[in-house]
């Protein structure tokens, strides 16, 4: 598939990054994020193989092949640019596409050819040993630095109690949110939970999957603002989803569910797979796999009725 001029169409990008291009859909982004979907669409065009999309197993098989080809291209690029073979080997991405976020920088790999740059591999020690007055210790060796830049990222698969750092997080009758979600997330539209009146949340929990976290938060914020405005207009001071509405949403999420456990477990340790720990919590929080745009339509239809279906309002 050839690349079309980028029109920055969000849906086109999200199709490539999280699903696949539809027959005849061009790649309007044309970068590393969309490479696998672009190449797969080209392959299906050549072989008239679009019927494979109806067979999840066949689709995943074809996608893995294109995935491998894209990652092999990146590994060859490392060999072409990095002069020291040992350093080049450490920099090669031996994992599936999207196990780590793709990055693009023409200056990154050439940096390792500079005489004042050394790559220190901490994979065997699972990180640095300690920080001293002079620098960083790795595997018993102290590396002296004038400046240390912390790029610690964020926690997303650790225990909710640790992430929220709110104790107790209690709703009606002292019910703990951590207990309420102990055997799986339970929400209405990913933002409210039965037994926790006037509690609204943004995040990945049962929300729409998208490459743009901020866009997802905006979607949730719009929905929350609508509910609060309508509750106030109707003179209510308390709003809460019913247990039935919560259960209906759980079933909706399950209807659209996608089993990507094989992909995540085969990734190198990271937040996708709880750093490689068995039975780790999903980093996406049991998402609505219908996707961001389908969820947008679903929420808009829910609001358009004006009935606040599934919510109980109290004055």
């Amino acid at each position: 598939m050839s690349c079309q001029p980028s029109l920055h169409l969000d849906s086109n990008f999200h199709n490539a990054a999280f699903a696949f291009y539809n027959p005849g859909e061009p790649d309007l982004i044309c970068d590393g994020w969309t490479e696998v979907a672009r190449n797969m669409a080209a392959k299906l065009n050549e072989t008239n193989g679009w019927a494979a999309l109806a067979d999840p197993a066949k689709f995943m098989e074809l996608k893995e092949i294109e995935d491998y080809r894209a990652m092999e291209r990146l590994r060859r690029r490392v060999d072409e640019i990095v002069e020291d073979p040992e350093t080049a080997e450490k920099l090669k991405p031996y994992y599936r596409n999207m196990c780590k976020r793709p990055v693009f920088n023409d200056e990154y790999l050439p940096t390792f050819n500079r005489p004042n740059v050394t790559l220190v591999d901490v994979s065997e020690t699972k990180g640095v040993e300690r920080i001293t007055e002079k620098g960083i210790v790795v595997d018993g060796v102290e590396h002296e630095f004038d400046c240390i830049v912390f790029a610690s990222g964020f926690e997303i698969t650790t225990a909710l109690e640790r992430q929220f750092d709110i104790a107790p997080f209690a709703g009606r009758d002292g019910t703990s949110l951590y207990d309420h979600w102990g055997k799986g997330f339970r929400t209405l539209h990913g933002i409210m939970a039965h037994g926790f009146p006037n509690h609204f949340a943004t995040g990945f929990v049962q929300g729409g999957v998208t490459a743009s976290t901020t866009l997802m938060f905006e979607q949730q914020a719009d929905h929350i603002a609508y509910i609060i405005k309508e509750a106030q207009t109707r003179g209510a001071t308390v709003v809460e989803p019913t247990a039935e509405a919560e259960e209906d949403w759980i079933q909706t999420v399950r209807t659209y569910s996608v089993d990507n456990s094989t992909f995540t477990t085969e990734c190198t340790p990271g937040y996708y797979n709880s750093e490689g720990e068995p039975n780790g919590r999903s980093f996406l929080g049991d998402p609505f796999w219908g996707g961001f745009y389908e969820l947008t339509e679903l929420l808009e239809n829910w609001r358009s009725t004006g009935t606040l279906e599934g919510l109980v309002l109290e004055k």
Side-chain angles (χ1 to χ4, degrees):
M1 176 184 285
S2 62
C3 293
Q4 302 289 328
S6 175
L7 300 178
H8 301 289
L9 297 181
D10 291 341
S11 60
N12 184 262
F13 171 67
H14 294 150
N15 282 349
F18 282 97
F20 50 83
Y21 284 129
N22 294 308
E25 183 179 7
D27 182 358
L28 302 178
I29 309 300
C30 248
D31 64 11
W33 282 87
T34 61
E35 179 177 0
V36 172
R38 178 172 67 248
N39 293 344
M40 186 171 177
K43 186 67 174 180
L44 294 176
N45 284 335
E46 293 172 3
T47 61
N48 194 27
W50 285 99
L53 297 182
D55 182 348
K58 183 63 176 179
F59 169 74
M60 295 305 294
E61 178 185 343
L62 295 174
K63 187 171 184 179
E64 185 169 359
I65 293 172
E66 296 306 323
D67 182 303
Y68 175 82
R69 289 174 175 169
M71 299 308 288
E72 187 65 13
R73 179 189 66 77
L74 294 178
R75 291 188 281 267
R76 289 196 302 269
R77 184 170 183 267
V78 174
D79 276 332
E80 292 168 358
I81 296 176
V82 180
E83 297 168 358
D84 177 56
E86 184 177 348
T87 301
E89 192 62 26
K90 292 178 180 178
L91 289 168
K92 290 178 184 178
Y94 285 107
Y95 46 78
R96 292 282 302 272
N97 180 56
M98 295 302 294
C99 279
K100 306 292 183 185
R101 297 186 185 186
V103 293
F104 317 99
N105 190 305
D106 292 336
E107 299 177 0
Y108 177 70
L109 291 176
T111 298
F112 293 94
N113 295 329
R114 293 168 50 177
N116 64 333
V117 174
T118 302
L119 174 63
V120 179
D121 186 357
V122 299
S123 58
E124 292 298 322
T125 58
K126 297 184 178 180
V128 301
E129 182 179 331
R130 67 182 186 276
I131 296 176
T132 68
E133 182 179 349
K134 295 181 179 180
I136 295 176
V137 177
V138 176
D139 200 20
V141 179
E142 184 178 45
H143 303 269
E144 295 189 11
F145 295 98
D146 295 324
C147 176
I148 300 173
V149 178
F150 288 89
S152 57
F154 53 90
E155 295 184 14
I156 193 169
T157 53
T158 52
L160 292 174
E161 294 91 329
R162 175 184 171 91
Q163 290 185 42
F164 291 177
D165 197 24
I166 300 174
F169 200 132
R172 290 189 185 276
D173 304 319
T175 301
S176 167
L177 182 66
Y178 310 129
D179 292 338
H180 188 63
W181 286 353
K183 295 182 180 180
F185 294 111
R186 305 186 63 83
T187 75
L188 174 61
H189 301 156
I191 63 171
M192 304 179 71
H194 175 67
F196 297 85
N198 292 350
H199 171 245
F200 300 91
T202 60
F204 285 104
V205 174
Q206 295 189 338
V209 179
T210 171
S212 173
T213 301
T214 52
L215 189 63
M216 183 179 70
F217 289 168
E218 288 177 6
Q219 178 195 66
Q220 294 169 333
D222 288 342
H223 197 55
I224 292 170
Y226 171 83
I227 293 173
I228 293 175
K229 177 179 178 295
E230 287 298 312
Q232 290 178 331
T233 299
R234 303 173 195 207
T237 59
V238 178
V239 59
E240 177 186 353
T242 65
E244 292 75 18
E246 185 180 75
E247 182 61 30
D248 286 346
W249 182 246
I250 293 169
Q251 295 306 317
T252 297
V253 170
R254 290 176 180 171
T255 297
Y256 284 87
S257 65
V258 173
D259 182 6
N260 68 334
S261 57
T262 300
F263 168 79
T264 56
T265 54
E266 291 178 351
C267 287
T268 50
Y271 71 78
Y272 278 20
N273 51 30
S274 295
E275 303 299 334
E277 293 294 327
N279 303 316
R281 192 168 60 83
S282 167
F283 77 101
L284 286 176
D286 192 18
F288 175 79
W289 279 106
F292 175 82
Y293 293 97
E294 186 155 349
L295 180 58
T296 295
E297 183 177 355
L298 187 152
L299 296 180
E300 288 176 347
N301 289 338
W302 183 88
R303 293 195 295 265
S304 69
T305 66
T307 62
L308 300 182
E309 183 181 358
L311 297 182
V312 175
L313 277 62
E314 300 176 9
K315 295 185 178 180

